Structure formats: structure tokens, C-alpha cells
Amino acid sequence: MNAPLPKQALAELSPLHLELATRLNEHTQGEVLFDRGARGRYSTDASIYQIEPVGVLLPRTGNDVAAALGICRELSVPVLARGGGTSQCGQTVGAALVIDNSKYLNRVIDLDLGNMTVTVEPGIVLDHLNAWLKPHGVWFPVDVSTAAQCTLGGMAGNNSCGSRSIAYGNMVHNVVSIDAMLLDGTTASFCEESQMRDAPPRVQAIMARLREIAERERNEIERAVPAVMRRVGGYNLDIFHPQSPRPYTADGRINLAHMLVGSEGTLAYTRQMTLKLSPLPAAKALGVVNFPTFYQAMDMTRHIVELSPCAVELVDRTMIDLARGNPAFRPVIDKALIGEPEAILLVEFAGESSAEQVASLAKLVALMGDLGLPGSVVEMPDASAQKALWEVRKAGLNIMMSMRGDGKPVSFIEDCAVPLEHLAEYTSQLTDVFAKHGTKGTWYAHASVGTLHVRPILDMRNDGARKMRAIAEEAGALVRRYKGAFSGEHGDGLVRSEWVAWQFGPRLTRAFEEIKDAFDPDRLMNPGKIVRSSKMDDASLFRFKPGYRSIEIKPALDWSAWNVNSDPATETVSAPGTGGDPAQGLAKAVEMCNNNGHCRKFDAGTMCPSYRVTRDEQHLTRGRANTLRLALSGQLGPDAFTSDEMRATMELCVSCKGCKRDCPTGVDMAKMKIEFLNQWQQKRGLALKDRLIATLPRWAPWAARMPLLFNLRNHIPGAARLTEKWLGFSAQRSLPAWRRDTFLGDPTTRRREGDSRPAAISGGSPSPDTAEVVLFADTFNNYFEPENLHAARQVLQAAGYKIHIARPAETDAQAKRPLCCGRTYLSAGLVDQAKAEARRVIAALLPFVERGVPVIGLEPSCLLTLRDEFLVMGLGREAEALAAQAYLFEEFLAHELKAGRLQLPLKPLPEKRALLHGHCHQKAFDAVKPVQQILALIPELKVELVESSCCGMAGSFGYEASHYETSMKMAELSLLPALRAADDDTLLVADGTSCRHQIADGLAGRSAQHVARVLQRALA
């Protein structure tokens, strides 16, 4: 039995739901979540819908699921199985008990290389499975764009397809068997019909009923089921009389597992499934075909597929432009372009021989010449370049959703599939339909199989529902004319179930209802999907329901860039601040999260470190954004924005800024946390610990004068325990040691350099004849590790630069106190104090900025504050000028190296290998590569980047007793294991102060160095 449920959560429940929650808590070992915040976070998926569930269960075992199904059947409570929550049609939302399989039921059960199969639980993520399979030389090839976050159970539920279905087929073609449980507790392995003779009587009866329905409706199946491979609507009744050009099984045998594939959890619960594997291709080649018109791209696809590629994927002009606006994607997409194409097609060839794939590329080049487009192909035989471009393509849907304003690309006709010979005409006529209704569509995806993800841009707060209905009807008429399928990949859910009857007619619709009732006579398994559905435009089910409005709030930072209106027809965006958001843009920025779940990924990148540790939806960028949105729209009750629920939701956000870079829709949770903390401290005050950390720059000079006193905590037995009890600093941590010999207190740095102040502000690098720089000494390096600043100064001097030391302006009322970026104040939500510090910095550095002198800093979190938060504090053009000339130490050196101005004599070091850990903010600003470039200048040194997320220290986060365990778990995910595996003579490099402290705590007797110290040691 679990711990008692929170009383506050129970008080909000109806008697029925209270009984359900209590019994689940008593009879399962899973996590039982019935509080308002959890229900809100699970009320949405990646669709336009929002329905609050009854509650949430995270089962630990199959027995938990069986118990839950039994209780729900007894209480007549609907049940909804969920994986990554990435469904785009509303499959995974409903007024039901949500069973989230993704946290615990995610194991590989068996690998049978002899039969080329793998058996898995439903909660395993596709990328995790393929990473596990890779050493065995095999993979599961249904590689959907959400592979980093979607689960195999969800893929089976939707009958997912992926980019390479032309070669490998859909999900249904790659499922061997499904071990399922019916609502009444009956279990069976659904597989080839001939192997199910010993199935339980209940299942035998279902099998007989299915065959009876199929025989009765044979003629209707042949008449109404579209003869296209990309048809995933309704139930797969045609397994008995296949209509697809690609049969369900190679030998024509009937496999009952295929009836469950695509059933969206409406028939049974999947306990585990056995999947068909394919050998990993030994070689791949990618050709990017650039087209001057969209129509040509569509028209020529049918010729390209004759070359037998394994994928032909479309990226249209809108997506190209949006990708170029993302700093992570721009350099990748630019390499694929020739001029300004209106569309590109990614054509991939794969097989055993590299020479064969290169030859296929040559055939593609020749074909495009024959078709009148010579010189239109960018050839990419290199695997790394291919991978990078495929990542941009996979992020296509989410890139589309990064449009600002209330109009967003809406999913409802995006998966219509038509035969290739009609693709160009279909897309052309559908574009006319969009124009008729005052909008445009965004196009991308699977040109190879005639399924293009098209999303018209609609404002679902206003007239979007009306336009959605009209466009769907006209698109449906086109699909019928071209004998296509209305649902070609992403399933039915809430948005397309209504169209099942349109697609298949009344006879097959009644047959589908009979199938549903045979499996689920109680009608409790994910009701309202596929059969007996609501209308697609039922506004009561929308995320933005009628009357939706954010609360009035005055944010501390400037969010006006999100507070805009956009016109999809003209692609114009109104001026910042004109969007009518009562929260002055903060709410609209939060609403940029479309629940795509990209933050659930575990591959390279930073986002989202707390989720990687907890696997809890609450501690995920998406979960936080949803909670913020619900609070800002009044759906969590009064004062929800500063509630304990919101505090708990934001508690483990380490402000890594990983989402700023990695989130395709640009959700910046680090800034949003500042807003929350600002409101919190105004209404609830600050704990002494938080106030001490926030005001550290003010009392730091006193600590430097009396370091023995301020360092006593680290040396007196029992002192650490007392500070943990009184202040909340973990006794398992040593605190940074204060130094009397600060950098700014050193006699060699005390002299103030002269400066001048021209009238105009200019940017750029210094001219060769001046070669000046100004060194910004941050609080942490100045008081705790001054040797880093000394090293940076020595390296810059060796490179021939005249160095100024940043000091307060003579007019500064606090001129005796060093400059501070304000980061510690921001970490506590004290934005006004942070602004005051920012003004001091700008006043001090403006004379240098006006002369075009670069400002150089060592601590990523401090220096990059000048390029980030300074720009949203209302500090004007001076802040923008400073941001344009603010460089991290290694960024400046790399910039000068590229310009041919860096003259830095370096010699080999004793160490021949360096492991580099990038600070989170460096990663967010793409500032890790410069470290690699500069370290590579050291002769004979091999530099390797540790593929790690946040180190877990995150400023003061890891020092706090309440966060210590989470902090160390973050470090143990990848960083510390990678460093432990290194030889003792391997150089460890980390630019972040907190990163170095975490490494020192996690690796007894070893430490990391700032890149400045490494270069200092290598000076010739």
C-alpha cells in the first residue's frame, strides 16, 4: 500500500472519484495522482483539446494495471492508457483514469535475434529501444519524428508510420504479437490466428465475432476501405480481406494483433508486444532536392520514388524560414539550400554498400537534370550531416508551432493520404481552399507515400473552429475525389473520429461499433475515440474554450515580443505589445508550449535535467508550462500563480536554459521561473537562505576581508549540520571557500584605465591598431577562484591585447562595490535589484562599448546574462549594444581566430587528452564549440566533449539540502560516470564555477579547470 494521499487533493474529489483514488492507493504499488495540478497536466496532449481526467495512475507492475482495470470496471470509471502524451489528435485525453505507462513499464523483455524480434513493455520510448538494439546491429524501423519521446505502446495504438514507411511499412506491418488485457481481466496473446487455438473462451468468442462481421461485410470492405498504404482510420477489419497495396502479412495469414494496432486503446490494454526487427543499414546517402516551386516538388515525387529510396520527405518554405530562425537549426538547414527554394525534398538511400548509395545519389542528380532542374541537388554522403538535417526534419511539426500570435497550425486534415499521381493537384487545390478561408497551410513530411502533414493556420480562440469545419469538409471532398484516406498516419482521436463514418460509410461504422462492444461491452476503454465520438469542433473540449482569458498580471520582465497578432494570409505580425494579452505577453509565451513532449528526450542536449531524474510530468518543461498556463488562465483557482502547487512545480527547474535552445517552440522556462519567483517573493517573502544567496554580491566584500570567519563552516565539526538545520545548506557539501586575495583587490588590477566616450554607439570587434578588451570580473571567480581571472588576463596579454578591468563608473553611488550581473538576484526573483545591478554594469561598460571594445567574461551564467536577461529588463539601446559586444573568454578567442587576428603561442601539455563538460548556458547559446576550437590549438591535445545534461549543481541548487539527492542524480546520469572512466592524466575542463564544484564533490581527489587556466599552462 502507498503512503496516504494528500488531504487537500482528496477534499476536491467527488465521492466516486474519492473511492477510486483510495482503492487505487490501497491495492496498487503505483503512484496515484488525483490533485488538481496533476489532473491539469494530464488534461492535454499535442492536440487542440483539453479534458480533465478523473485521476492518474503510474503503475509499477502489470498487477497494478490489472487491479486498476478491475476497480474501474466495478465503479464504471473510464480508462485511458497513455505513453508520451504526444498524440496530435486527442487520443490521450479524456474524462477517465489515465494510466501512464512511461515511467515504469518501459523494459525490454526479450531479444530473439534468430527470429529478428524484440518483446517490450508499452512504455518504452522508441529512441531508447533503438539505442539498446544498436550494439546488436538491428533496429525497429518505424522511425517517427517523435522518436525521442513517443512510446511503443502509443505507436501501436495509433498505427504510426514514420519517414521510412515506403521501405519498412507502418507499425501494423512490424507487430508480431500483442499480449493484451481486457477490461474484465482476461489476458491473451493476440497473434497469428492459427496460434490462438488455446486462447481463453472470452477471446475465442471475440475471434469468432470478428470473423463473422468480416465475412458479412466483405463486399463493403472492398468498396469502402481506401486502397492506400497510409490508411489508419477506423479498426483494421480488413485484416480478413486486405485492401492496402502492402498486405498486413507477407504470407497472407491473419494476425489478430493487427486488430489492436491502431485501436487507440479502445479495445484492450497492451501489456507487452513483440516487434519485428530489421538490420541496421550499413550505409546511407542523402540527396536534398531544391525546387523553385512547391508544385514541382509534389509533381516530381512520383518520379523520384522510382529510384527506390527509403524516404522522400518534404520541407516547405515556411518550415525552412522557421528553421532558419532557430539558432540550433539555422546552420544545418542553410547547408541544404541552393538559393531560395520554395520547397526541398530529402531523398534518402540506404543499404549495405556505400558505393551503391553514392551511385543512387548520382542517379538522383541525373534524374533532376532530365526533369529540367539541373544543379538542384545538395549531396550529403556524410553521416553526421545527414543526422543533423534529419533532426531538423523531425522537429518540423514543432518548428511550425513556433509561430507567435494566437494563430497556429492546427492538426485536423494533416494526414490525408492520396495516390502519388494526384499529389500535386491535391496540394494545389487544397492551397486554394486555405486561401478561400483567409489562411495558409504549412506543409511537410512523407511525400513518398502521398501523406503530407498540412496544417492550416487558425486562431482557435476566435473563428478557428468554424473555419476548421469548413476546410475539413472541402478537404474531404478532395480526398474522396482522389480515392484517398482521410486519416493517413496520426490516427482518429477526438479530431478525426467523427470522420470515420464519412470515410467508411454507415455499414462499416456499425461494424466498428460491434467490434468495440465485443472487446469492451462496458464501453469504458478510452470512450469517444473511433466510434461514438464527439464532434471535432465541440468547443467545450478545446484547450482554449469559449471565454478563455488569462488573468491580469504585471510581469517583471518584458514579454511584449510574444504579445502580438498575426495574419496567416499575409504572414504579417503586429508590433510587440499589441496582442491584447492581459498578462502583457507572459501568458502567450507560456502558451507557446503545444505539448509536443520534445522535452522528454534523453539524447544529447540539456533539456530537461530534472525530468531525466524524476521521470515526473510535473518536473518537465511541458508540465511546468501547462501548470503555468492553467494558473494564468484561472483554471487552478484564485492566486494559483503563487500557490504551493506552483512552487512545487517550479522547484526542480534548475534554470539551465536548455529549453531556450532545445525546445522547438521556444519555451524559455528559466525566464518564466524568474517571473514566478518575482511574484512569489512579493506575496510570500524569501527564506533567509534565499536572501543570503541573492544578496551575496553585497556582502561578499566583507566575507573577503574576513575569510577565516566566513570559512569556519567548512572546518568546524558539526558546523555543517547546524547550517543545514538553520539555513538549509546541505551538510554533505562544502561551500565555496572565500579568498582574501581577490582578483579585483590585487595591486596589479587596481589601476583604472582611461577611456573616452564617442557620441555614437557602434558594435563589432576592435580594430587591429587598438586591440583592446575589457575583462569583466564576475562575483564567483573574483572571490572564490581569482586564479582563473589572472589566467585569462595573462592569456589575453600573451595574445597582444590591451586589457581594461571593468570597474564601477565614477558616478556610481556604490562605486566601492564591484560590478555584478545580477544573476543571484534573478535566481530569487528580485528583479528590481537585478535591474539596478544591470544599470551599474551598463554605465561602467558603455564607454568601452562606444569604442567598439569587446567585453569578456569567464563565468557563463554571468556573462550570458548580459546577452539574455539584460535585453528584457527595459534597459534600452545601451543594453542591446552591450549584448552585441559581450563575449565569453573562449568565444572572443574563437572569434579572433576566425578573423585571422589571434596570435597565441602555445606548447604541448603533459596531458594529451581533455574531457570537456559544457555549462548549461554555454549549450543554450551554442558557446561550447568555441571552447573546443580554442583547446584544439594546444599541440597534441585531443579534446572530447562529454555528452551530458546539467551537472546538477546549477548555481545554489545543488548546495541546498532539499535538492542534494536530485543534484547528485543529475550528475550521475552521464557526467560523473564519463569522468570516472577517464585516466588520471586526462585533463578535465569545465568553465562553470558550479560545474567545477560538482565535479570536485563527485570525484574525490580530482578537479576540473577553466579553459583560461588550461591555456595559461600551455603558453609558450
PDB file of all heavy atoms in Angstrom, residues 634-664:
ATOM      1  N   GLY A 634      -6.598  31.066 -14.769  1.00  0.00           N
ATOM      2  CA  GLY A 634      -7.559  30.932 -13.687  1.00  0.00           C
ATOM      3  C   GLY A 634      -8.149  29.553 -13.510  1.00  0.00           C
ATOM      4  O   GLY A 634      -9.110  29.380 -12.754  1.00  0.00           O
ATOM      5  N   GLN A 635      -7.576  28.537 -14.161  1.00  0.00           N
ATOM      6  CA  GLN A 635      -8.160  27.194 -14.106  1.00  0.00           C
ATOM      7  C   GLN A 635      -7.715  26.380 -12.893  1.00  0.00           C
ATOM      8  O   GLN A 635      -8.217  25.278 -12.678  1.00  0.00           O
ATOM      9  CB  GLN A 635      -7.827  26.429 -15.395  1.00  0.00           C
ATOM     10  CG  GLN A 635      -8.407  27.072 -16.635  1.00  0.00           C
ATOM     11  CD  GLN A 635      -8.108  26.279 -17.890  1.00  0.00           C
ATOM     12  OE1 GLN A 635      -8.591  25.160 -18.075  1.00  0.00           O
ATOM     13  NE2 GLN A 635      -7.307  26.853 -18.775  1.00  0.00           N
ATOM     14  N   LEU A 636      -6.772  26.916 -12.135  1.00  0.00           N
ATOM     15  CA  LEU A 636      -6.346  26.234 -10.910  1.00  0.00           C
ATOM     16  C   LEU A 636      -6.802  26.988  -9.669  1.00  0.00           C
ATOM     17  O   LEU A 636      -6.288  26.750  -8.578  1.00  0.00           O
ATOM     18  CB  LEU A 636      -4.818  26.075 -10.900  1.00  0.00           C
ATOM     19  CG  LEU A 636      -4.227  25.156 -11.964  1.00  0.00           C
ATOM     20  CD1 LEU A 636      -2.719  25.068 -11.820  1.00  0.00           C
ATOM     21  CD2 LEU A 636      -4.849  23.761 -11.892  1.00  0.00           C
ATOM     22  N   GLY A 637      -7.742  27.900  -9.857  1.00  0.00           N
ATOM     23  CA  GLY A 637      -8.265  28.626  -8.719  1.00  0.00           C
ATOM     24  C   GLY A 637      -7.571  29.959  -8.515  1.00  0.00           C
ATOM     25  O   GLY A 637      -6.593  30.292  -9.182  1.00  0.00           O
ATOM     26  N   PRO A 638      -8.087  30.766  -7.555  1.00  0.00           N
ATOM     27  CA  PRO A 638      -7.501  32.091  -7.304  1.00  0.00           C
ATOM     28  C   PRO A 638      -6.093  31.990  -6.730  1.00  0.00           C
ATOM     29  O   PRO A 638      -5.764  31.056  -6.002  1.00  0.00           O
ATOM     30  CB  PRO A 638      -8.478  32.707  -6.285  1.00  0.00           C
ATOM     31  CG  PRO A 638      -9.149  31.529  -5.630  1.00  0.00           C
ATOM     32  CD  PRO A 638      -9.245  30.475  -6.686  1.00  0.00           C
ATOM     33  N   ASP A 639      -5.270  32.957  -7.077  1.00  0.00           N
ATOM     34  CA  ASP A 639      -3.893  33.052  -6.587  1.00  0.00           C
ATOM     35  C   ASP A 639      -3.068  31.806  -6.900  1.00  0.00           C
ATOM     36  O   ASP A 639      -2.105  31.489  -6.194  1.00  0.00           O
ATOM     37  CB  ASP A 639      -3.877  33.310  -5.074  1.00  0.00           C
ATOM     38  CG  ASP A 639      -4.560  34.608  -4.706  1.00  0.00           C
ATOM     39  OD1 ASP A 639      -4.369  35.600  -5.452  1.00  0.00           O
ATOM     40  OD2 ASP A 639      -5.286  34.648  -3.696  1.00  0.00           O
ATOM     41  N   ALA A 640      -3.434  31.082  -7.959  1.00  0.00           N
ATOM     42  CA  ALA A 640      -2.713  29.849  -8.285  1.00  0.00           C
ATOM     43  C   ALA A 640      -1.283  30.112  -8.714  1.00  0.00           C
ATOM     44  O   ALA A 640      -0.407  29.258  -8.547  1.00  0.00           O
ATOM     45  CB  ALA A 640      -3.455  29.086  -9.390  1.00  0.00           C
ATOM     46  N   PHE A 641      -1.038  31.301  -9.273  1.00  0.00           N
ATOM     47  CA  PHE A 641       0.303  31.594  -9.771  1.00  0.00           C
ATOM     48  C   PHE A 641       1.331  31.638  -8.643  1.00  0.00           C
ATOM     49  O   PHE A 641       2.522  31.399  -8.877  1.00  0.00           O
ATOM     50  CB  PHE A 641       0.300  32.924 -10.534  1.00  0.00           C
ATOM     51  CG  PHE A 641       1.556  33.163 -11.325  1.00  0.00           C
ATOM     52  CD1 PHE A 641       1.884  32.350 -12.394  1.00  0.00           C
ATOM     53  CD2 PHE A 641       2.413  34.202 -11.015  1.00  0.00           C
ATOM     54  CE1 PHE A 641       3.042  32.558 -13.132  1.00  0.00           C
ATOM     55  CE2 PHE A 641       3.570  34.423 -11.747  1.00  0.00           C
ATOM     56  CZ  PHE A 641       3.888  33.596 -12.810  1.00  0.00           C
ATOM     57  N   THR A 642       0.904  31.926  -7.436  1.00  0.00           N
ATOM     58  CA  THR A 642       1.820  31.950  -6.295  1.00  0.00           C
ATOM     59  C   THR A 642       1.425  30.893  -5.258  1.00  0.00           C
ATOM     60  O   THR A 642       1.676  31.047  -4.069  1.00  0.00           O
ATOM     61  CB  THR A 642       1.835  33.340  -5.641  1.00  0.00           C
ATOM     62  OG1 THR A 642       0.493  33.743  -5.346  1.00  0.00           O
ATOM     63  CG2 THR A 642       2.472  34.367  -6.561  1.00  0.00           C
ATOM     64  N   SER A 643       0.827  29.810  -5.727  1.00  0.00           N
ATOM     65  CA  SER A 643       0.375  28.751  -4.826  1.00  0.00           C
ATOM     66  C   SER A 643       1.492  27.778  -4.494  1.00  0.00           C
ATOM     67  O   SER A 643       2.547  27.754  -5.147  1.00  0.00           O
ATOM     68  CB  SER A 643      -0.774  27.983  -5.474  1.00  0.00           C
ATOM     69  OG  SER A 643      -0.312  27.313  -6.644  1.00  0.00           O
ATOM     70  N   ASP A 644       1.269  26.955  -3.487  1.00  0.00           N
ATOM     71  CA  ASP A 644       2.222  25.902  -3.135  1.00  0.00           C
ATOM     72  C   ASP A 644       2.368  24.901  -4.276  1.00  0.00           C
ATOM     73  O   ASP A 644       3.452  24.348  -4.490  1.00  0.00           O
ATOM     74  CB  ASP A 644       1.783  25.187  -1.853  1.00  0.00           C
ATOM     75  CG  ASP A 644       1.885  26.076  -0.622  1.00  0.00           C
ATOM     76  OD1 ASP A 644       2.726  27.003  -0.624  1.00  0.00           O
ATOM     77  OD2 ASP A 644       1.120  25.852   0.337  1.00  0.00           O
ATOM     78  N   GLU A 645       1.278  24.654  -4.999  1.00  0.00           N
ATOM     79  CA  GLU A 645       1.321  23.750  -6.145  1.00  0.00           C
ATOM     80  C   GLU A 645       2.292  24.278  -7.196  1.00  0.00           C
ATOM     81  O   GLU A 645       3.107  23.537  -7.746  1.00  0.00           O
ATOM     82  CB  GLU A 645      -0.078  23.597  -6.744  1.00  0.00           C
ATOM     83  CG  GLU A 645      -0.122  22.967  -8.127  1.00  0.00           C
ATOM     84  CD  GLU A 645       0.323  21.520  -8.151  1.00  0.00           C
ATOM     85  OE1 GLU A 645       0.086  20.818  -7.143  1.00  0.00           O
ATOM     86  OE2 GLU A 645       0.898  21.092  -9.171  1.00  0.00           O
ATOM     87  N   MET A 646       2.225  25.578  -7.471  1.00  0.00           N
ATOM     88  CA  MET A 646       3.125  26.155  -8.459  1.00  0.00           C
ATOM     89  C   MET A 646       4.561  26.135  -7.944  1.00  0.00           C
ATOM     90  O   MET A 646       5.506  25.888  -8.713  1.00  0.00           O
ATOM     91  CB  MET A 646       2.695  27.588  -8.797  1.00  0.00           C
ATOM     92  CG  MET A 646       3.514  28.225  -9.922  1.00  0.00           C
ATOM     93  SD  MET A 646       3.427  27.307 -11.470  1.00  0.00           S
ATOM     94  CE  MET A 646       1.730  27.616 -11.917  1.00  0.00           C
ATOM     95  N   ARG A 647       4.744  26.389  -6.674  1.00  0.00           N
ATOM     96  CA  ARG A 647       6.089  26.338  -6.096  1.00  0.00           C
ATOM     97  C   ARG A 647       6.686  24.952  -6.260  1.00  0.00           C
ATOM     98  O   ARG A 647       7.850  24.795  -6.661  1.00  0.00           O
ATOM     99  CB  ARG A 647       6.032  26.707  -4.608  1.00  0.00           C
ATOM    100  CG  ARG A 647       7.385  26.639  -3.906  1.00  0.00           C
ATOM    101  CD  ARG A 647       8.202  27.882  -4.159  1.00  0.00           C
ATOM    102  NE  ARG A 647       9.569  27.753  -3.698  1.00  0.00           N
ATOM    103  CZ  ARG A 647      10.385  28.786  -3.518  1.00  0.00           C
ATOM    104  NH1 ARG A 647       9.956  30.015  -3.735  1.00  0.00           N
ATOM    105  NH2 ARG A 647      11.622  28.620  -3.124  1.00  0.00           N
ATOM    106  N   ALA A 648       5.891  23.922  -5.969  1.00  0.00           N
ATOM    107  CA  ALA A 648       6.381  22.551  -6.113  1.00  0.00           C
ATOM    108  C   ALA A 648       6.694  22.226  -7.571  1.00  0.00           C
ATOM    109  O   ALA A 648       7.642  21.490  -7.868  1.00  0.00           O
ATOM    110  CB  ALA A 648       5.341  21.574  -5.563  1.00  0.00           C
ATOM    111  N   THR A 649       5.905  22.789  -8.474  1.00  0.00           N
ATOM    112  CA  THR A 649       6.109  22.528  -9.900  1.00  0.00           C
ATOM    113  C   THR A 649       7.387  23.172 -10.414  1.00  0.00           C
ATOM    114  O   THR A 649       8.093  22.612 -11.260  1.00  0.00           O
ATOM    115  CB  THR A 649       4.899  23.033 -10.702  1.00  0.00           C
ATOM    116  OG1 THR A 649       3.731  22.336 -10.267  1.00  0.00           O
ATOM    117  CG2 THR A 649       5.085  22.824 -12.191  1.00  0.00           C
ATOM    118  N   MET A 650       7.715  24.351  -9.908  1.00  0.00           N
ATOM    119  CA  MET A 650       8.909  25.060 -10.367  1.00  0.00           C
ATOM    120  C   MET A 650      10.147  24.697  -9.549  1.00  0.00           C
ATOM    121  O   MET A 650      11.263  25.086  -9.917  1.00  0.00           O
ATOM    122  CB  MET A 650       8.683  26.567 -10.282  1.00  0.00           C
ATOM    123  CG  MET A 650       7.481  27.076 -11.072  1.00  0.00           C
ATOM    124  SD  MET A 650       7.577  26.733 -12.840  1.00  0.00           S
ATOM    125  CE  MET A 650       8.883  27.849 -13.331  1.00  0.00           C
ATOM    126  N   GLU A 651       9.983  23.963  -8.465  1.00  0.00           N
ATOM    127  CA  GLU A 651      11.060  23.743  -7.500  1.00  0.00           C
ATOM    128  C   GLU A 651      12.307  23.142  -8.122  1.00  0.00           C
ATOM    129  O   GLU A 651      13.429  23.543  -7.819  1.00  0.00           O
ATOM    130  CB  GLU A 651      10.556  22.831  -6.370  1.00  0.00           C
ATOM    131  CG  GLU A 651      11.550  22.586  -5.259  1.00  0.00           C
ATOM    132  CD  GLU A 651      11.768  23.802  -4.371  1.00  0.00           C
ATOM    133  OE1 GLU A 651      10.951  24.746  -4.432  1.00  0.00           O
ATOM    134  OE2 GLU A 651      12.751  23.793  -3.622  1.00  0.00           O
ATOM    135  N   LEU A 652      12.140  22.158  -8.988  1.00  0.00           N
ATOM    136  CA  LEU A 652      13.305  21.449  -9.532  1.00  0.00           C
ATOM    137  C   LEU A 652      13.774  21.991 -10.875  1.00  0.00           C
ATOM    138  O   LEU A 652      14.674  21.415 -11.492  1.00  0.00           O
ATOM    139  CB  LEU A 652      13.002  19.954  -9.655  1.00  0.00           C
ATOM    140  CG  LEU A 652      12.691  19.207  -8.353  1.00  0.00           C
ATOM    141  CD1 LEU A 652      12.608  17.709  -8.607  1.00  0.00           C
ATOM    142  CD2 LEU A 652      13.724  19.509  -7.272  1.00  0.00           C
ATOM    143  N   CYS A 653      13.174  23.081 -11.327  1.00  0.00           N
ATOM    144  CA  CYS A 653      13.699  23.740 -12.529  1.00  0.00           C
ATOM    145  C   CYS A 653      15.039  24.376 -12.161  1.00  0.00           C
ATOM    146  O   CYS A 653      15.103  25.238 -11.285  1.00  0.00           O
ATOM    147  CB  CYS A 653      12.739  24.809 -13.026  1.00  0.00           C
ATOM    148  SG  CYS A 653      13.409  25.810 -14.379  1.00  0.00           S
ATOM    149  N   VAL A 654      16.101  23.955 -12.817  1.00  0.00           N
ATOM    150  CA  VAL A 654      17.436  24.446 -12.478  1.00  0.00           C
ATOM    151  C   VAL A 654      17.846  25.635 -13.347  1.00  0.00           C
ATOM    152  O   VAL A 654      19.007  26.041 -13.335  1.00  0.00           O
ATOM    153  CB  VAL A 654      18.482  23.311 -12.601  1.00  0.00           C
ATOM    154  CG1 VAL A 654      18.231  22.238 -11.557  1.00  0.00           C
ATOM    155  CG2 VAL A 654      18.480  22.711 -14.009  1.00  0.00           C
ATOM    156  N   SER A 655      16.883  26.178 -14.089  1.00  0.00           N
ATOM    157  CA  SER A 655      17.144  27.348 -14.944  1.00  0.00           C
ATOM    158  C   SER A 655      18.337  27.116 -15.858  1.00  0.00           C
ATOM    159  O   SER A 655      19.170  28.001 -16.069  1.00  0.00           O
ATOM    160  CB  SER A 655      17.369  28.598 -14.077  1.00  0.00           C
ATOM    161  OG  SER A 655      16.226  28.884 -13.297  1.00  0.00           O
ATOM    162  N   CYS A 656      18.399  25.921 -16.407  1.00  0.00           N
ATOM    163  CA  CYS A 656      19.538  25.553 -17.258  1.00  0.00           C
ATOM    164  C   CYS A 656      19.479  26.233 -18.621  1.00  0.00           C
ATOM    165  O   CYS A 656      20.474  26.262 -19.334  1.00  0.00           O
ATOM    166  CB  CYS A 656      19.581  24.039 -17.440  1.00  0.00           C
ATOM    167  SG  CYS A 656      18.174  23.375 -18.368  1.00  0.00           S
ATOM    168  N   LYS A 657      18.313  26.726 -19.009  1.00  0.00           N
ATOM    169  CA  LYS A 657      18.080  27.350 -20.313  1.00  0.00           C
ATOM    170  C   LYS A 657      18.161  26.347 -21.461  1.00  0.00           C
ATOM    171  O   LYS A 657      18.248  26.738 -22.627  1.00  0.00           O
ATOM    172  CB  LYS A 657      19.017  28.526 -20.566  1.00  0.00           C
ATOM    173  CG  LYS A 657      18.903  29.650 -19.539  1.00  0.00           C
ATOM    174  CD  LYS A 657      19.627  30.901 -19.992  1.00  0.00           C
ATOM    175  CE  LYS A 657      19.538  31.985 -18.912  1.00  0.00           C
ATOM    176  NZ  LYS A 657      20.126  33.255 -19.356  1.00  0.00           N
ATOM    177  N   GLY A 658      18.148  25.062 -21.115  1.00  0.00           N
ATOM    178  CA  GLY A 658      18.153  24.060 -22.175  1.00  0.00           C
ATOM    179  C   GLY A 658      16.947  24.200 -23.083  1.00  0.00           C
ATOM    180  O   GLY A 658      17.044  24.036 -24.297  1.00  0.00           O
ATOM    181  N   CYS A 659      15.791  24.534 -22.481  1.00  0.00           N
ATOM    182  CA  CYS A 659      14.583  24.685 -23.290  1.00  0.00           C
ATOM    183  C   CYS A 659      14.678  25.899 -24.196  1.00  0.00           C
ATOM    184  O   CYS A 659      14.074  25.927 -25.279  1.00  0.00           O
ATOM    185  CB  CYS A 659      13.355  24.770 -22.397  1.00  0.00           C
ATOM    186  SG  CYS A 659      13.476  25.935 -21.036  1.00  0.00           S
ATOM    187  N   LYS A 660      15.418  26.911 -23.786  1.00  0.00           N
ATOM    188  CA  LYS A 660      15.579  28.109 -24.627  1.00  0.00           C
ATOM    189  C   LYS A 660      16.151  27.726 -25.983  1.00  0.00           C
ATOM    190  O   LYS A 660      15.766  28.286 -27.019  1.00  0.00           O
ATOM    191  CB  LYS A 660      16.507  29.111 -23.936  1.00  0.00           C
ATOM    192  CG  LYS A 660      16.798  30.367 -24.758  1.00  0.00           C
ATOM    193  CD  LYS A 660      17.784  31.272 -24.028  1.00  0.00           C
ATOM    194  CE  LYS A 660      18.146  32.485 -24.874  1.00  0.00           C
ATOM    195  NZ  LYS A 660      17.026  33.399 -25.079  1.00  0.00           N
ATOM    196  N   ARG A 661      17.041  26.747 -25.981  1.00  0.00           N
ATOM    197  CA  ARG A 661      17.662  26.319 -27.232  1.00  0.00           C
ATOM    198  C   ARG A 661      16.985  25.078 -27.817  1.00  0.00           C
ATOM    199  O   ARG A 661      16.715  25.008 -29.012  1.00  0.00           O
ATOM    200  CB  ARG A 661      19.144  26.012 -27.000  1.00  0.00           C
ATOM    201  CG  ARG A 661      19.843  25.489 -28.246  1.00  0.00           C
ATOM    202  CD  ARG A 661      21.324  25.284 -28.025  1.00  0.00           C
ATOM    203  NE  ARG A 661      21.954  24.679 -29.190  1.00  0.00           N
ATOM    204  CZ  ARG A 661      22.351  25.348 -30.259  1.00  0.00           C
ATOM    205  NH1 ARG A 661      22.161  26.643 -30.325  1.00  0.00           N
ATOM    206  NH2 ARG A 661      22.928  24.734 -31.274  1.00  0.00           N
ATOM    207  N   ASP A 662      16.694  24.088 -26.973  1.00  0.00           N
ATOM    208  CA  ASP A 662      16.241  22.799 -27.480  1.00  0.00           C
ATOM    209  C   ASP A 662      14.749  22.747 -27.763  1.00  0.00           C
ATOM    210  O   ASP A 662      14.310  21.942 -28.591  1.00  0.00           O
ATOM    211  CB  ASP A 662      16.592  21.689 -26.481  1.00  0.00           C
ATOM    212  CG  ASP A 662      18.085  21.427 -26.411  1.00  0.00           C
ATOM    213  OD1 ASP A 662      18.809  21.981 -27.248  1.00  0.00           O
ATOM    214  OD2 ASP A 662      18.526  20.683 -25.517  1.00  0.00           O
ATOM    215  N   CYS A 663      13.944  23.538 -27.062  1.00  0.00           N
ATOM    216  CA  CYS A 663      12.501  23.492 -27.294  1.00  0.00           C
ATOM    217  C   CYS A 663      12.183  24.071 -28.667  1.00  0.00           C
ATOM    218  O   CYS A 663      12.482  25.240 -28.928  1.00  0.00           O
ATOM    219  CB  CYS A 663      11.747  24.257 -26.210  1.00  0.00           C
ATOM    220  SG  CYS A 663       9.964  24.358 -26.534  1.00  0.00           S
ATOM    221  N   PRO A 664      11.576  23.301 -29.551  1.00  0.00           N
ATOM    222  CA  PRO A 664      11.309  23.812 -30.902  1.00  0.00           C
ATOM    223  C   PRO A 664      10.364  25.003 -30.927  1.00  0.00           C
ATOM    224  O   PRO A 664      10.377  25.775 -31.877  1.00  0.00           O
ATOM    225  CB  PRO A 664      10.684  22.603 -31.619  1.00  0.00           C
ATOM    226  CG  PRO A 664      11.131  21.419 -30.837  1.00  0.00           C
ATOM    227  CD  PRO A 664      11.206  21.888 -29.415  1.00  0.00           C
TER     228      PRO A 664
END
